[in-house]
């Protein structure tokens, strides 16, 4: 009898062991569902299949590990050159967070305070007037323009896009936001044009970060592109990031596509005329850089890690926290009531910091979930619908 009891116990144990082995493994909270990421991938492929975008590169980094890196479509449709990890993109306005970082490196060194007057470093702005659109007159700056105003787009500077604005018309007439002169000369032109608003009273997208880039030059005594290479790009091993594409890398440069009158994607008529194929005259901290998804992910990871990556410290942790928090003056709001950090937007509801570029590139840093999400394409006019969808799907993939 005892023999049969022991056999029964042994068989029961084997059954329990097999049952436990066949049970699905529990996934730790905070990880990303592979099935949900597959849905995000399918959504990106659909933009290619539907002919809405030429090519897409995405990357998701969580807990300092790359959990998704995918490529869809082509860098050049005609030659069927696929997007891959070496594809170089126009970052355009995604240069802004990097320029803000360059300036904040000097902040960490005690070279200025955020509420210092811009005119302390660029004297031409001391006499810049403000246009009052109600009285149609010029008036002095009630609160002098500060460095914080520049980094939050509350300086009163603009881009010249508003066809109904007197100040914007002066930008267009003088070429103030163009690319045809050196940064120093361009800033002098800007200082001679009235501000659109009193500093600190309204958020308006404009050339503020270009002026911040010039501040880097003034304070450091080094050209902006050289400073950023020495203090950001080289330390972070961002080997393909800069302010133009060298000849030996130009075959990796993605074409930028636009829809024709029938909605079909078309390439530029003369790709060889692209401004990014030759050394820049104007080193634009507001929109002049090129990069790869891999390179920019290293910049994003540095921010996510509080200013450090792989033993290399770029910024103090408290400085990154400052950048990635709402820095708008009291009473000023970003679009739809949101917040704005230094050089990038700050979503008050979820704490995400990031920005996008004119050719429809996008990134976000999410400290709450220890994650950064990047989605790049090359498409004009600006449209990041695909990237916002991808970011949303990735966040929905987080297992609670």
């Amino acid at each position: 009898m005892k023999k049969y009891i022991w056999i029964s116990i042994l068989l029961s144990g084997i059954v329990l062991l097999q049952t436990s082995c066949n049970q699905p493994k529990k996934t730790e909270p905070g990880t990303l569902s592979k099935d949900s990421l597959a849905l995000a991938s399918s959504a990106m492929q659909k933009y290619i299949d539907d002919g809405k975008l030429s090519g897409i590169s995405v990357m998701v980094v969580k807990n300092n590990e790359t959990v998704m890196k995918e490529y869809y479509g082509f860098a050049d449709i005609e030659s069927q050159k696929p997007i891959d990890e070496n594809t170089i993109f126009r970052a355009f306005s995604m240069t802004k967070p990097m320029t803000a970082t360059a300036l904040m490196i000097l902040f960490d060194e005690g070279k200025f305070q955020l509420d210092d007057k811009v005119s302390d470093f660029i004297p031409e702005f001391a006499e810049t007037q403000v246009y009052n659109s109600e009285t149609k007159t010029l008036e002095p700056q009630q609160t002098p323009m500060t460095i914080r105003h520049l980094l939050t787009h509350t300086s009163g500077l603009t881009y010249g896009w508003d066809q109904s604005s007197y100040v914007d018309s002066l930008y267009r007439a003088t070429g103030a936001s163009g690319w045809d002169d050196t940064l120093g000369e361009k800033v002098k032109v800007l200082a001679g044009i009235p501000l659109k608003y009193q500093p600190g009273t309204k958020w308006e997208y404009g050339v503020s970060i270009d002026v911040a880039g010039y501040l880097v030059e003034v304070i450091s005594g080094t050209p902006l592109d050289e400073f950023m290479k020495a203090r950001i790009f080289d330390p972070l091993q961002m080997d393909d990031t800069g302010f133009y594409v060298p000849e030996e890398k130009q075959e990796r440069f993605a074409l930028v596509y636009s829809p024709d009158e029938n909605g079909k994607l078309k390439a530029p008529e003369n790709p060889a005329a692209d401004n990014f194929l030759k050394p820049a005259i104007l080193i634009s901290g507001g929109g002049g850089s090129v990069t790869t998804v891999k390179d920019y992910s290293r910049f994003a990871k540095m921010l996510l890690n509080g200013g450090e990556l792989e033993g290399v410290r770029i910024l103090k942790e408290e400085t990154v926290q400052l950048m990635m928090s709402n820095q708008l003056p009291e009473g000023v709001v970003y679009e739809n009531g949101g917040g704005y950090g230094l050089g990038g937007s700050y979503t008050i509801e979820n704490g995400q910091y990031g920005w996008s570029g004119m050719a429809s590139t996008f990134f976000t840093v999410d400290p709450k979930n220890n994650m950064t999400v990047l989605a790049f394409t090359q498409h004009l006019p600006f449209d990041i619908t695909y990237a916002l969808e991808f970011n949303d799907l990735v966040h929905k993939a987080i297992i609670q």
Side-chain angles (χ1 to χ4, degrees), residues 75-97:
D76 183 336
I77 295 175
E78 184 178 1
S79 67
Q80 296 285 284
K81 183 189 298 179
I83 292 278
D84 60 31
E85 66 177 358
N86 294 313
T87 301
I88 297 174
F89 298 83
R90 299 155 191 80
F92 282 119
S93 285
M94 279 175 57
T95 311
K96 288 178 169 71

Side-chain angles (χ1 to χ4, degrees), residues 125 170-171 174-177 181 184-194:
F125 278 109
L170 296 178
Y171 276 65
T174 61
S177 54
D181 214 333
E185 290 301 316
K186 192 65 65 178
V187 168
K188 290 176 184 177
V189 173
L190 287 169
I193 300 174

Side-chain angles (χ1 to χ4, degrees), residues 22-134:
N22 291 330
Q23 291 294 322
K25 293 182 179 179
K26 290 185 178 180
T27 307
E28 289 296 323
T31 57
L32 298 175
S33 162
K34 291 183 179 180
D35 291 339
S36 297
L37 290 181
L39 291 175
S41 182
S42 296
M44 295 302 98
Q45 183 63 51
K46 192 172 189 304
Y47 281 92
I48 307 300
D49 296 342
D50 291 349
K52 294 180 178 178
L53 296 173
S54 55
I56 301 172
S57 177
V58 298
M59 183 177 289
V60 179
V61 178
K62 194 168 193 324
N63 302 327
N64 269 323
E65 292 186 7
T66 301
V67 296
M68 184 177 184
K69 181 171 61 173
E70 299 287 346
Y71 314 101
Y72 316 88
F74 301 98
D76 183 336
I77 295 175
E78 184 178 1
S79 67
Q80 296 285 284
K81 183 189 298 179
I83 292 278
D84 60 31
E85 66 177 358
N86 294 313
T87 301
I88 297 174
F89 298 83
R90 299 155 191 80
F92 282 119
S93 285
M94 279 175 57
T95 311
K96 288 178 169 71
M98 296 191 293
T99 300
T101 295
L103 190 55
M104 295 308 284
I105 288 171
L106 297 170
F107 172 83
D108 278 351
E109 294 175 354
K111 301 293 177 62
F112 69 90
Q113 296 299 313
L114 282 174
D115 294 318
D116 286 347
K117 294 183 292 185
V118 173
S119 60
D120 289 345
F121 303 92
I122 309 174
E124 290 85 353
F125 278 109
E127 303 301 323
T128 303
Q129 299 284 291
V130 181
Y131 181 70
N132 187 319
S133 60
E134 294 183 0

Side-chain angles (χ1 to χ4, degrees), residues 171-207:
Y171 276 65
R172 295 191 295 273
T174 61
S177 54
W179 294 54
D180 57 349
D181 214 333
T182 65
L183 182 56
E185 290 301 316
K186 192 65 65 178
V187 168
K188 290 176 184 177
V189 173
L190 287 169
I193 300 174
L195 300 176
K196 192 171 181 178
Y197 306 102
Q198 285 289 345
T201 63
K202 184 176 176 64
W203 189 95
E204 171 133 353
Y205 202 41
V207 295

